[in-house]
Each structure stands twice: as C-alpha cells, then as structure tokens.
Amino acid sequence: MALPTTIEYSALEKLYLDPRNPRLGLTKSEPLESQDTLMERMRTWGLEELAVSFLENGFWPQEAVIVVEEELYDQPNRLVVVEGNRRIAALRYLKRAIEGLPSPGKWKQLAEGARPNDELFTQVPYILAPSRQAVTAFIGFRHVTGIKQWAPAEKAEFIASMVDDNNMSYESIRKQIGSRIDVVRRNYIAYRILHQIKDLEIDISEEGLDNRFSVLFLSLREAGVQKFLGVDIRAEPDQARIPVPEGNTTNLSDFVSWLFGTSRSRPLFTDSRNVGNFARILSSTEATEYLRAVPDPSFDLALQKAGIEDEEIENQLKQASNQMELALSRVHLHRDSVPIQKAMRRLALNARELVLKFPSIADEIRLQRGSGDDA
C-alpha cells in the first residue's frame, strides 16, 4: 500500500509521541509510558539543533511528520507520530520554554528573545497513514538502510517488530527495506537473544546491552559462537523466537558476562575486531574452562589456551618466508643498493634472533653450514 501524500495540519498538543518508537530500545516499559516520560527519555537525542532550525526557518511542509490514528492511553483516534518523533519532542520542549514553564537550561537559553512563526505550534504539518504497516517500508528504508540510520539495536528492534507484530517473512522484509536476507535474519535472532538475556539473573544494565548490541550482532556470524550458544542462524522466525535452547542457558550466561561484562567484571574484550578470536576461544574446551575458573580472565591468555597464538605466529613466519623467497630471486642484482643493504642488515639481525629462540634449529643450521659461528 502506497503512503499517502496529502499534507494536513494540526496543533502541536494533538500530536502524540510514539511509546513504541524503536529508538527507545530495550528499555521500553509496559504499561505505555506517559508523554512527559517519553520526552525525558528523548532529551539526549540532539533536539536543540532541531529547535534552532525551527526558530530560523519554521517547520517545512516537506518535512511533515507521519502519523497513524490509534488508541493511546485508553483514548481512541489519537494522532500518534510514527515518523518524526524527534521533531515533535523538540517543538514541545521549545514551546514549554517559550511559555516560561520549567525547562532545562539549554532550552531556556534558546527561548530567550525567541519570536517563532505564529503557526509553528498551531500548524504542524503531518501525513496521515492508514496503519503502521502501511508506513513500514518507508520507515525501514529510511532508518535501517537509508540516509538517517538508527543505531544497531534500534534497527534490530524495528526488524523484530516487522516479524513479530506484522507476521512478515525475512524475504518480504528484505524487499521492503532494501537489505540482505542474512542481515535481516541475524538482526532478528540477535534481538530475540537480547530478550533471553533480559530473563537471565545477570547484573548487566539494559543500556549496556543496547550499547554493545553491534558486537553481539557481529559475533553471530561466527560458527564458534553459534555452536557455543546452540543457535541455528538459518532458522525461520517460528524457530528463532527462542534462539538459544533452554539447555544452553548456562553457556548464554557465561557468553553475556564475557561479552558485555557485569558490575563485578569487565568485558573480556572491547575491540570488535576481536570477535573472530573470541569465537575461536569459545570453540576450545581448555580456554572456556579457564574463563570460567578465573574471576578476571585475560583475553590474551585465553587465546593462548585456545592455540590461536601458535597459528598466528605460524602464519606470520610463513608470510615472512614467502617474501624472502621472492626477494632471493632478484636481490643479487641489487647488491650495491644502500637502502637494500640497510634492509638486509635488519632482516639478518631479526632472523638471527629468531633462530636462536630454537636451539635445535640453530644447531641444525650450524651443522649444515659446517661452521661453529653462532650466526
């Protein structure tokens, strides 16, 4: 269903902030929060810059908010804003400050001497959509894959609402928001895991969960994480609503403590580039036993116990050998080059130090050369 294009106008007080706004994240509560509470929650959303624009330019019709008529707070036919909540919240804060009502300091400063357009608060442009579902494609494209993207947890919240509230398939969501089906699926599964985490008795803040959601999302690409949690990353929505099987809740609790940290322990790592190594740690029985046994485990030591450091050093030495073999085919043509001599001296010193780390190899080289030289 196409989105209507007719612009209508309403007084500000008749437009309601959306308690189901995905930007509110996991901390949305039931029953629905009051409008004042929602405004307080939105204070840190950069509303002041919008207010400055409104004072200078008014509210442009082409930036009309999108609303639906719904029952809200037991009242029917409320105009609930499903796209443009920041704009409405900014107008509300600005109106309060101009009217002299209690307001944060920044808003008082903005209101001093302000002379807004007479219609700024009485003629707010809006487009009335027939339903939330009718505007889903527009909002999804704009905020999930488009130019005004939400934070990762907010994107996942929106995709989950498309699955759970609108009974949409991954394929239909992919088409509507212009994403890949594997990304849609992983967002949904990651979001459902967050809800399982909330049911665990772990002292981790919901704000922390939201802030680290992107790391959880990335980790689900890794086979080691999928196996540790027992997650079927290709599961359809009916099977994915409870991604981590009941028998794996202990693993989920440990996973959360290591990935997010708690009030008593730090996250095992903070750089998302370590997600791959974390997955390999989870695949090692010795490494996970170490993580469980130590109150404040070391990520590097866990890597060693998983045998990952051996592989990394092996790969580094192989790469160095490959480069040396390439140089050997041509270096004799450049013996008089001062920069090459300098590089060769550095290589020789490093190679000598490496060989001396392995006495048996050093002895083997000496025998083969027929020399007693330590080099």
Side-chain angles (χ1 to χ4, degrees):
M1 182 182 296
L3 185 67
T5 57
T6 302
I7 296 178
E8 303 179 57
Y9 295 86
S10 169
L12 177 61
E13 58 267 21
K14 293 183 179 180
L15 299 174
Y16 288 82
L17 299 171
D18 184 12
R20 295 165 61 185
N21 183 352
R23 288 202 66 184
L24 296 172
L26 291 176
T27 52
K28 291 198 299 293
S29 62
E30 296 293 344
L32 297 179
E33 293 176 325
S34 70
Q35 294 289 291
D36 286 342
T37 302
L38 291 174
M39 286 184 62
E40 181 62 28
R41 297 262 303 275
M42 296 170 67
R43 276 182 60 182
T44 59
W45 289 12
L47 305 179
E48 294 89 351
E49 61 188 29
L50 291 175
V52 171
S53 177
F54 290 145
L55 288 173
E56 293 179 353
N57 308 303
F59 201 128
W60 292 334
Q62 59 267 38
E63 287 294 323
V65 299
I66 301 175
V67 306
V68 293
E69 279 191 347
E70 288 183 342
E71 179 179 305
L72 185 64
Y73 309 128
D74 297 325
Q75 297 295 319
N77 303 323
R78 297 289 196 188
L79 296 178
V80 181
V81 178
V82 292
E83 169 62 17
N85 280 272
R86 285 181 68 237
R87 281 164 274 168
I88 297 305
L91 280 179
R92 287 191 172 198
Y93 270 114
L94 184 59
K95 186 172 184 289
R96 285 185 180 183
I98 289 175
E99 291 176 348
L101 298 175
S103 303
K106 290 182 179 179
W107 290 99
K108 292 179 181 178
Q109 294 175 13
L110 281 174
E112 288 178 1
R115 292 182 176 82
N117 185 306
D118 292 340
E119 297 180 344
L120 182 59
F121 304 121
T122 61
Q123 296 290 305
V124 181
Y126 73 89
I127 294 173
L128 177 62
S131 66
R132 285 180 183 266
Q133 191 166 4
V135 77
T136 293
F138 171 77
I139 295 176
F141 181 78
R142 182 177 175 86
H143 295 298
V144 178
T145 54
I147 60 173
K148 292 185 176 293
Q149 293 193 19
W150 286 324
E154 295 161 5
K155 295 179 185 180
E157 162 79 11
F158 182 76
I159 288 173
S161 70
M162 296 173 81
V163 174
D164 295 335
D165 299 340
N166 299 334
N167 200 30
M168 295 176 67
S169 68
Y170 296 142
E171 177 62 19
S172 59
I173 294 172
R174 179 196 70 78
K175 290 179 179 178
Q176 286 208 11
I177 67 176
S179 185
R180 300 198 318 265
I181 195 166
D182 62 308
V183 174
V184 171
R185 183 189 295 114
R186 189 152 37 101
N187 266 294
Y188 180 68
I189 291 174
Y191 182 78
R192 297 305 308 178
I193 289 175
L194 280 187
H195 276 270
Q196 287 188 268
I197 292 171
K198 287 180 66 178
D199 293 334
L200 298 173
E201 294 183 0
I202 298 180
D203 55 344
I204 178 172
S205 70
E206 290 176 334
E207 181 182 359
L209 291 177
D210 277 349
N211 291 339
R212 295 276 285 170
F213 175 84
S214 59
V215 184
L216 170 62
F217 175 77
L218 286 173
S219 74
L220 289 176
R221 294 185 306 185
E222 305 291 337
V225 171
Q226 297 168 21
K227 184 176 180 181
F228 186 77
L229 296 178
V231 170
D232 180 2
I233 200 62
R234 300 190 65 82
E236 292 300 316
D238 286 346
Q239 289 75 44
R241 286 192 172 87
I242 304 178
V244 180
E246 185 177 344
N248 273 28
T249 52
T250 298
N251 279 8
L252 178 59
S253 296
D254 290 335
F255 175 83
V256 171
S257 298
W258 300 331
L259 189 66
F260 296 103
T262 68
S263 62
R264 298 184 301 274
S265 63
R266 299 170 297 175
L268 189 60
F269 63 96
T270 56
D271 190 335
S272 60
R273 291 174 295 183
N274 282 321
V275 163
N277 282 339
F278 178 52
R280 295 166 75 181
I281 288 172
L282 296 182
S283 299
S284 165
T285 300
E286 182 180 356
T288 53
E289 286 179 350
Y290 159 72
L291 293 180
R292 286 174 170 137
V294 179
D296 188 19
S298 161
F299 185 73
D300 290 337
L301 185 52
L303 284 177
Q304 290 181 28
K305 291 184 178 295
I308 297 172
E309 192 172 70
D310 288 352
E311 295 178 23
E312 289 182 347
I313 293 175
E314 179 188 4
N315 288 333
Q316 290 168 354
L317 291 173
K318 285 180 177 178
Q319 291 172 17
S321 296
N322 291 337
Q323 294 299 317
M324 289 177 69
E325 288 170 3
L326 286 174
L328 275 171
S329 65
R330 304 187 306 277
V331 72
H332 63 281
L333 302 174
H334 305 277
R335 291 177 179 174
D336 295 333
S337 168
V338 173
I340 288 179
Q341 290 178 16
K342 183 178 180 180
M344 183 59 216
R345 184 173 292 105
R346 180 186 174 199
L347 173 63
L349 291 171
N350 286 333
R352 181 180 187 277
E353 290 301 315
L354 275 173
V355 170
L356 290 177
K357 302 293 184 186
F358 299 87
S360 62
I361 296 177
D363 290 341
E364 179 184 346
I365 291 174
R366 281 196 293 269
L367 288 172
Q368 287 179 357
R369 288 175 59 91
S371 170
D373 190 344
D374 284 342

